[in-house]
């Protein structure tokens, strides 16, 4: 069974920007952006060293961690620097103007 949580309004997500949204009861925020025109939601912390990802760069579909420069493909979650690492991607549901993700 999925744990669906409200993250933000669609208007809060800006193409070309990484936006982090806190979720009640979750340690790290959820980062939401657009990749190739599709909404993407991922964990808000780098799996390499627990660095917040919202301060990173977005280069096309690649998120670059501000801590050590590790790159992650937002369409797959795969790390371009270390194949053992990946970003957790969350399924998104949009209801009206509200964005929800399934954390489990």
């Amino acid at each position: 069974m999925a744990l669906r949580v409200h993250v933000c309004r669609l208007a809060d997500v800006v193409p070309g920007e990484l936006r982090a949204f806190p979720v009640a009861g979750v340690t790290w925020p959820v980062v939401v952006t657009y990749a190739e025109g599709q909404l993407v939601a991922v964990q808000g912390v780098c799996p390499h060293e627990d660095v917040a990802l919202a301060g990173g760069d977005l280069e096309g579909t690649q998120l670059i961690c501000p801590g050590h420069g590790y790159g992650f493909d937002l369409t797959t979650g795969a790390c371009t620097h270390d194949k053992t690492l990946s970003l957790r991607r969350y399924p998104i549901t949009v209801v009206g103007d509200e964005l929800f993700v399934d954390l489990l």
Side-chain angles (χ1 to χ4, degrees):
M1 180 173 186
L3 173 61
R4 184 163 290 165
V5 296
H6 179 262
V7 175
C8 63
R9 299 177 66 94
L10 278 178
D12 296 330
V13 184
V14 178
E17 290 185 19
L18 298 168
R19 295 266 175 111
F21 300 95
V23 175
V26 178
T27 303
W28 295 100
V30 173
V31 170
V32 183
T33 192
Y34 286 92
E36 294 183 337
Q38 299 295 314
L39 280 168
V40 176
V42 297
Q43 67 192 57
V45 62
C46 181
H48 170 241
E49 290 273 333
D50 292 340
V51 173
L53 292 172
D57 292 322
L58 186 59
E59 297 175 2
T61 62
Q62 188 159 305
L63 183 159
I64 307 299
C65 175
H68 298 100
Y70 278 46
F72 296 90
D73 183 342
L74 289 175
T75 62
T76 65
C79 179
T80 57
H81 292 80
D82 182 341
K83 300 301 179 194
T84 67
L85 298 175
S86 65
L87 275 182
R88 182 156 184 210
R89 298 178 72 239
Y90 301 117
I92 295 173
T93 300
V94 177
V95 178
D97 183 22
E98 305 298 325
L99 188 142
F100 297 82
V101 299
D102 294 343
L103 295 178
L104 300 175

